[in-house]
Amino acid sequence: MVLTVKLGARSYPITFERGVLGRIGEHVNLDRKVMIVTDDGVPAQYAQQLLAQCPQGFVHTVHMGEGAKSFPVFEALCTALLEHGFTRRDLVIGLGGGVVGDLSGFAAASFMRGIDFVGIPTTTLSQIDSSVGGKMAINLAGVKNIIGAFHQPRAVFIDGDVLKTLPPRHFSNGLAEAVKMGFIADPEIIRLFEADDWRSHLDEIIYRAIAAKARVVEIDETEQNERKSLNFGHTIGHGIESAGQLSDLYHGECVGLGMLYFFGDEALRARCERILDKLGLPTHTEVDKDAVYAALTHDKKGDGTAVSVVKVDEVGGYRLEKMRYDDIRALL
Ligand SMILES: NC(=O)c1ccc[n+]([C@@H]2O[C@H](COP(=O)([O-])OP(=O)(O)OC[C@H]3O[C@@H](n4cnc5c(N)ncnc54)[C@H](O)[C@@H]3O)[C@@H](O)[C@H]2O)c1
Ligand SMILES: [Zn+2]
């Protein structure tokens, strides 16, 4: 199955196919220099499978974790591109989770002012959230994603088979973003999660979540308005994520918790809670409320007294609302 993200000259296909990792050469020209970027937590056989398809391929493996989204690691990757004589005709492939995608995508965006990039996301989070949008970034001085670019990939490949090796907590973590897409844009996703055999619908859930995000990004590529809906669950979620660094909650887990504050009625909130619970995602946290509040008021969004939040009153729809920080405090 192929979904085209329609962005004029920057349009690109997302191919959904189990086992496609072994057939990338049928879709993309690999007969040029190819830098396969991955991390040491991604099973090495995936990079080897890809390398076998590249007559002039190189594998660049970084150490796993958010620390890879940094200037030293970025510099080492760009240096490797330079030393291997990459030109604007050549290709960078990001093979890994969101960390690898962001780092390698930003290197592709920057090297020689932009060379081809192909994404092969291998976590639920990166498949659902990072494969659409073209946002590539690294961190600086403890601030996440502060140095980056919009750089649309030439193609993205979603291979459900690679998720088999993903640790269960990471597997559930990314699905929180699919729950989010369901509540703001696609009731069918919620229905599938509520089914007893939801796992057998995983491919469809991921496809629908990506398709829903693509529709939003097509309308609003650079985040002027429509794209703000994607922040559902993220206002308080980011606060919990920053405040909870010691408790070590993952991003999707925080987004799940963050959504629970912004439902128009109790029945919907309870539905969301049941889904999160079923996915093994937390529905409450011990993180200190004052610390969450302090963290979210430090967030770069908003004008100091109020922030725009996303609310859901019915499944598949949302509204944006200006909310005073005082009122958010009361919510907590
Ligand atoms: N660009 C965007 O639009 C966007 C969107 C959302 C998140 N992000 C970024 O994504 C990052 C988080 O991504 P993530 O949750 O994928 O984390 P991650 O990239 O750190 O991957 C999680 C862990 O899983 C391992 N792994 C990856 N694929 C695997 C597989 N198939 N089998 C076994 N292990 C595997 C990795 O080595 C890593 O240890 C954050 O830095 C976030 O800012 C970017
Ligand atoms: Zn998110």
Side-chain angles (χ1 to χ4, degrees):
M1 203 150 42
V2 178
L3 175 97
T4 303
V5 183
K6 299 184 207 74
L7 297 168
R10 293 177 307 288
S11 297
Y12 65 92
I14 302 181
T15 302
F16 298 79
E17 196 179 305
R18 287 185 177 256
V20 73
L21 179 60
R23 298 185 290 274
I24 302 297
E26 292 174 17
H27 302 267
V28 171
N29 172 20
L30 297 178
D31 197 10
R32 47 182 164 164
K33 285 182 183 161
V34 180
M35 184 65 77
I36 301 162
V37 184
T38 190
D39 74 36
D40 55 10
V42 178
Q45 79 248 26
Y46 298 156
Q48 290 308 317
Q49 216 179 332
L50 192 52
L51 185 65
Q53 302 166 56
C54 304
Q56 302 174 77
F58 307 89
V59 177
H60 187 87
T61 306
V62 302
H63 184 44
M64 67 179 172
E66 190 68 26
K69 288 173 54 173
S70 66
F71 269 104
V73 178
F74 171 74
E75 184 179 351
L77 172 53
C78 293
T79 304
L81 292 171
L82 192 63
E83 284 176 356
H84 289 299
F86 274 64
T87 70
R88 298 193 68 177
R89 289 188 307 277
D90 299 321
L91 172 67
V92 172
I93 301 184
L95 175 68
V99 164
V100 163
D102 275 9
L103 168 74
S104 57
F106 183 50
S110 316
F111 190 75
M112 301 186 85
R113 298 194 188 83
I115 70 173
D116 284 358
F117 177 73
V118 162
I120 309 181
T122 62
T123 62
T124 46
L125 188 97
S126 55
Q127 292 190 346
I128 293 164
D129 209 13
S130 343
S131 57
V132 178
K135 283 187 181 180
M136 312 297 185
I138 59 173
N139 309 326
L140 178 66
V143 184
K144 271 194 68 140
N145 301 328
I146 196 72
I147 306 290
F150 284 98
H151 187 61
Q152 300 298 341
R154 291 291 173 191
V156 169
F157 297 91
I158 307 288
D159 185 343
D161 283 348
V162 300
L163 298 179
K164 287 178 187 154
T165 51
L166 191 64
R169 191 173 165 201
H170 276 294
F171 178 81
S172 297
N173 176 55
L175 291 179
E177 299 280 359
V179 176
K180 176 194 82 177
M181 289 316 303
F183 276 113
I184 61 173
D186 184 357
E188 182 63 14
I189 294 176
I190 299 305
R191 205 190 61 74
L192 291 169
F193 273 127
E194 287 177 333
D196 288 334
D197 61 343
W198 70 271
R199 271 183 181 268
S200 65
H201 300 294
L202 184 66
D203 287 357
E204 188 182 351
I205 288 172
I206 291 178
Y207 175 83
R208 295 193 79 101
I210 293 174
K213 183 170 178 189
R215 287 195 298 271
V216 173
V217 170
E218 282 166 359
I219 300 171
D220 182 12
E221 190 179 351
T222 55
E223 202 164 344
Q224 305 304 314
N225 199 24
E226 198 79 19
R227 211 164 158 167
K228 289 188 180 137
S229 66
L230 302 175
N231 286 333
F232 180 51
H234 283 63
T235 309
I236 289 182
H238 277 149
I240 296 173
E241 201 172 355
S242 316
Q245 262 155 16
L246 289 177
S247 64
D248 197 29
L249 286 170
Y250 292 177
H251 175 76
E253 296 172 341
C254 297
V255 170
L257 289 165
M259 286 190 285
L260 294 173
Y261 293 93
F262 293 105
F263 284 105
D265 74 85
E266 175 53 30
L268 268 189
R269 200 195 65 79
R271 265 177 91 179
C272 182
E273 197 171 298
R274 277 195 298 275
I275 294 173
L276 297 179
D277 201 41
K278 185 175 188 177
L279 297 178
L281 291 162
T283 53
H284 66 276
T285 171
E286 300 301 316
V287 174
D288 180 48
K289 290 182 167 54
D290 291 327
V292 172
Y293 181 71
L296 77 88
T297 49
H298 274 115
D299 211 332
K300 56 187 181 288
K301 293 162 187 118
D303 63 8
T305 57
V307 66
S308 152
V309 300
V310 187
K311 289 195 166 174
V312 168
D313 298 325
E314 57 179 327
V315 183
Y318 71 90
R319 65 191 157 87
L320 296 177
E321 189 183 294
K322 273 265 176 208
M323 197 163 180
R324 288 161 40 83
Y325 280 115
D326 290 350
D327 295 331
I328 294 185
R329 163 135 226 160
L331 262 187
L332 289 170

